[in-house]
């Protein structure tokens, strides 16, 4: 061990984390290793949005993935983890619009081209920030394969998919009532609408009917839309409304004549049995209008203001128009009733504006034919969900799936590859066409809209490998092995990837979908800026170190649960790595001058050596098994226990007498040192996937000249190392030591007061304990350890089944006699009471058999103890 290469005195993560990132980068450690065709492990990142930087949820997700990736890489798999970012259409356009607004700039005034130039600049900054943060977190992504959802290759993939689906009639353009955000001025999909329970009002409005004295009462929650009514509808064969069939109603305030039609869509049971038909502002009404050939009149525009069709209300905001309209109706005595009405109101997921159902021309994907195979793939376990409970949610959604509105009235995104000639013919093509495919005329205009951002994300697992080209990477790494994602994007992304993967590659894009929970604050509250409880991953990395952040998040990630993140846990993890650091320093300081080598071949391992190696191999087996089952939390807990309790508190304490020459031979000392180094090396490797920085730093210091730990072999479980008798013996010795220490404190003796220990010579553990006796003597500061029967005045006890006797050396302790006497009389008392209860037939009849059995065992235990203390046997 060269003295120039020593671990710093204190554990200071910031002193080495950046250096390790550089080392891994320089070595190309995260590129796939090994020959093509070797067993491989492939995974793609869930690409963060280029809206800014990553949040604590990203930190959790990528920490989980990195554990898997590093573990597989160390197990010798040809491993790749593909990095990248998502252009995140509407989200990114909005943050850039907001940033521009601060400088008083509106995107419309600078125009599409200039606006996009600025978004690209924003994207570049954001992407750089994200890469830096992922590296700070220790994510072992293969940066040579970085992708972006709008880069050239991925754009080609998007275009091919659009054209193929269009040719198969699975993409179509149509005029429908869609979810419209008047603030973002774009259509959004059903998934992008948050439904908020709202206390609203239901207005009952009277319409006049020509030739009918009574007229028609119509109920609505959005009275301003009545300005767009083009009919009233009644149910067939409803006695209450039959008289109105075929008549004509008159739209109040406007005077438009409205035919009264019959349609099965009207629910006889609901309200007056008469409904207004507003085709431009209600999807169901639009369907009714199509059946009956009714016109659609748009009265609310794409900016949420009333159109010129709205008569006296034109130009008003929709909510202002509602208020004015109600005043006018009230003045004409047309409001018959107003009821409180609880209902769900759609809000834009991005900006929280109330969504307006809006008639417009959009592009749609016909999803049902693609959904079938994706359902079957999960049913047949070609894709397995972990935890499995999410499969039910998936099936329900997939079996009731609607067509997907994919066009967005935005600028940032994949422009729709549809071109229109002056005659309105549509040409859809992979390459920009010069002439109309129908009439051959030139001067084509491309559709101004872009695709929903998830349209490109759904292709991510294969487009990143070069699809539609048949690349080596695609062959080597697709389908991927696992996808790790938050359950909140199960429908937005995961389900669509399964559909797209099956449709375009014939294979599910991953065989396992692991869904993790959300990171919340320590009280379980959602983190939000308004609550002020947001934990920024970079802040806590600075404060506690990246390893502590990763280890905490991973340890808390129990399946199917949200993660309550407390700063106290982060501090606890930092203490854990401090413990590791100090243990490593201890090992290093005692290794000087020792000759490294394989102690296993020497055949003279001590019980302590055999015990720690057994515990390590037990943990290796456990960690492998837990990670196979995605129990990151249990794997982390097992390593924590091994390092803290077994290695530091137990092993390092017990080998001290050997290392310092107070016990054992020189030869034993050499073996102990070699085992210490082996044990430390294995623990570092076990812990590396969870805490790559500190383990790599120690590894580089301890194992001078060796490979990077990141590309070293994960410890292999060796059943031959399992040695339960050694583990038990060391456990017993430790318990005996504790008993000796308690013996002193119970008697207010100092920790160095010499004690004679006598161990029952007939104990079956004698062989092991004899080997450990010098350790016991040294650590217990014993005057003597003997295998002999108890002396007359000894204090007696049974520890871990071994009868012991103790006495202060050279002292006749009267205090001890008093204490033993007291305990004996208490035992007598208890034995008598319990014995009486157990011979009471009433008790035996009533008490559960399990309780009775337990009491019997306790009685036996107490009698044994009485005998050990020298009392009379019953
Ligand atoms: Zn919006
Ligand atoms: Zn044409």
């Amino acid at each position: 061990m060269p003295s120039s290469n020593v671990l710093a005195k204190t554990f200071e993560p910031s002193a080495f984390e950046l250096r390790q990132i550089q080392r891994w980068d320089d070595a190309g450690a995260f590129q796939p290793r090994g020959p093509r065709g070797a067993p491989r492990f492939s995974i793609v990142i869930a690409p963060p949005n280029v809206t800014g930087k990553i949040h604590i949820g990203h930190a959790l997700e990528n920490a989980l993935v990195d554990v898997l990736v590093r573990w597989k890489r160390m197990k010798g798999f040809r491993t790749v983890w593909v990095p990248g970012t998502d252009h995140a259409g509407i989200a990114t356009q909005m943050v850039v619009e907001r940033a521009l607004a601060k400088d008083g700039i509106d995107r419309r005034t600078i125009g599409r081209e200039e606006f996009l130039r600025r978004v690209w600049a924003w994207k570049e900054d954001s992407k750089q920030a994200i890469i830096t943060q992922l590296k700070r977190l220790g994510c072992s992504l293969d940066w040579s394969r970085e992708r972006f959802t709008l880069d050239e290759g991925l754009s080609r993939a998007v275009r091919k998919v659009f054209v193929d689906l269009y040719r198969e009639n699975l993409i179509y353009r149509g005029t429908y009532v869609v979810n419209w955000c008047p603030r973002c001025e774009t259509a959004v999909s059903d998934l992008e609408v948050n439904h908020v329970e709202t206390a609203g009002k239901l207005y009952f409005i009277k319409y006049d009917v020509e030739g009918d004295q009574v007229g028609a009462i119509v109920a609505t929650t959005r009275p301003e839309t009545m300005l767009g009514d083009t009919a009233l509808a009644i149910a067939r064969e409803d006695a209450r409304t039959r008289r109105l069939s075929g008549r004509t109603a008159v739209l109040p305030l406007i005077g438009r004549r409205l035919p009264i039609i019959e349609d099965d869509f009207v629910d006889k049971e609901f309200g007056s049995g008469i409904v207004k038909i507003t085709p431009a502002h209600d999807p169901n009404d639009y369907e009714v209008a199509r059946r009956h050939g009714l016109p659609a009149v748009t009265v609310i525009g794409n900016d949420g203001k009333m159109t010129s069709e709205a008569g006296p209300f034109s130009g008003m905001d929709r909510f202002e128009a509602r208020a004015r309209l109600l005043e006018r109706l009230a003045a004409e005595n047309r409001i018959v009733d107003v009821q409180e009405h609880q209902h769900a109101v759609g809000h834009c997921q991005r900006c929280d504006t109330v969504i307006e159902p809006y008639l417009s021309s959009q592009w749609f994907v016909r999803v049902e034919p693609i959904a079938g195979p994706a359902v079957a793939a999960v049913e047949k376990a070609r894709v397995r969900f972990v935890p499995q409970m999410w499969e039910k949610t998936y099936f329900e959604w997939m079996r009731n799936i609607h067509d997907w509105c994919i066009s967005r009235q935005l600028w940032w995104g994949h422009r729709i590859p549809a071109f229109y000639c002056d005659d309105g013919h549509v040409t859809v093509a992979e390459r920009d066409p010069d002439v109309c495919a129908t009439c051959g005329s030139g001067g084509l205009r491309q559709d101004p809209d872009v695709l929903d951002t998830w349209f490109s994300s759904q292709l991510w697992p294969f487009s990143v490998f070069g699809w539609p080209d048949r690349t080596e990477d695609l062959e080597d790494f697709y389908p991927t092995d696992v996808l790790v994602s938050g359950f909140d994007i199960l429908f937005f992304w995961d389900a669509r990837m399964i559909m797209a993967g099956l449709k375009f590659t014939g294979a599910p894009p991953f065989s396992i979908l692991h869904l993790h929970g959300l990171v919340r604050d320590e009280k379980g509250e959602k983190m939000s800026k308004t609550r002020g409880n947001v934990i920024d991953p970079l802040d806590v990395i600075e404060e506690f170190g990246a390893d502590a952040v990763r280890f905490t998040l991973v340890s808390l990630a129990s399946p199917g649960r949200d993660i309550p993140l407390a700063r106290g846990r982060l501090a606890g993890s930092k203490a854990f790595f401090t413990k590791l650091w100090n243990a490593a320093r201890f090992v290093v300081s005692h290794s000087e001058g020792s000759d490294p080598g394989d102690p296993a071949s020497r055949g003279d391992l001590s019980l302590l050596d055999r015990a720690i190696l057994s515990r390590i191999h037990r943990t290796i087996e456990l960690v492998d098994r837990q990670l196979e089952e995605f129990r990151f939390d249990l794997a982390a807990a097992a390593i924590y226990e091994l390092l803290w309790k077994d290695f530091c508190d137990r092993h390092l304490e017990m080998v001290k007498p050997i290392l310092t020459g107070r016990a054992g031979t020189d030869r034993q000392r050499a073996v102990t040192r070699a085992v210490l180094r082996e044990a430390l090396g294995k623990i570092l490797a076990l812990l590396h996937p969870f805490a790559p920085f500190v383990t790599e730093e120690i590894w580089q210091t301890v194992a001078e000249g060796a490979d990077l730990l990141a590309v070293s072999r994960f410890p292999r479980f060796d059943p031959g190392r399992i040695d339960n008798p050694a583990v038990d013996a060391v456990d017993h010795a430790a318990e005996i030591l504790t008993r000796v220490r308690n013996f002193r404190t119970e008697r207010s003796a100092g920790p160095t007061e010499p004690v004679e220990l006598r161990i029952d010579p007939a104990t079956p553990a004698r062989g092991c304990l004899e080997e450990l006796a010098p350790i016991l003597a040294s650590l217990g500061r014993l005057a003597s350890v003997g295998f002999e029967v108890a002396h007359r005045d000894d204090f007696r006890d049974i520890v871990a089944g071994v009868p012991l006797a103790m006495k202060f050396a050279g002292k006749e302790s009267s205090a001890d006699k008093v204490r033993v006497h007291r305990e004996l009389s208490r035992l007598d008392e208890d034995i008598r009471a319990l014995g009486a209860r157990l011979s009471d037939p009433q008790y035996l009849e009533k008490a559960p058999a399990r309780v009775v059995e337990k009491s019997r065992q306790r009685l036996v235990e107490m009698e044994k103890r009485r005998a050990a203390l020298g009392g009379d046997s019953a």
Side-chain angles (χ1 to χ4, degrees), residues 314-379:
S314 80
M316 284 183 197
D317 173 78
R318 55 190 165 148
F319 297 115
E320 166 76 8
R322 180 181 296 178
R324 297 286 88 79
L325 175 88
L326 288 169
E327 283 169 15
R328 297 273 299 266
L329 290 173
E332 289 190 16
N333 279 328
R334 289 194 177 276
I335 303 181
V336 180
D337 194 11
V338 181
Q339 292 176 5
E340 299 299 322
H341 186 67
Q342 194 75 21
H343 63 146
V345 176
H347 287 68
C348 172
Q349 192 196 43
R350 287 291 146 207
C351 73
D352 211 33
T353 301
V354 173
I355 289 293
E356 195 64 46
Y358 180 70
L359 183 66
S360 61
S361 199
Q362 305 287 348
W363 290 90
F364 297 85
V365 173
R366 216 181 294 283
V367 186
E368 212 191 336
I370 313 172
V375 168
V378 177
E379 279 173 343

Side-chain angles (χ1 to χ4, degrees), residues 832-849:
R832 206 179 314 118
L834 193 56
R837 192 175 338 144
L838 283 170
S839 51
D840 176 1
Q842 248 190 325
Y843 168 80
L844 293 176
E845 198 179 304
K846 280 187 190 157

Side-chain angles (χ1 to χ4, degrees), residues 207 218 224-233 247-252 254-261 275-282 284-299 309 359:
Y207 288 43
V218 170
E224 67 282 5
T225 62
M226 70 187 281
L227 300 169
D229 288 356
T230 56
L232 296 186
R247 291 185 182 275
T248 303
V250 181
L251 181 63
I254 300 285
R256 186 182 305 135
R257 298 180 77 238
L258 310 174
I260 298 177
I261 57 167
V275 299
K276 68 191 199 61
I277 300 298
T278 320
H281 297 285
D282 184 285
N284 294 320
D285 291 5
Y286 185 72
E287 291 308 313
V288 174
R290 297 233 292 192
R291 284 199 287 277
H292 295 268
L294 298 165
V297 177
T298 299
V299 291
E309 298 278 3
L359 183 66

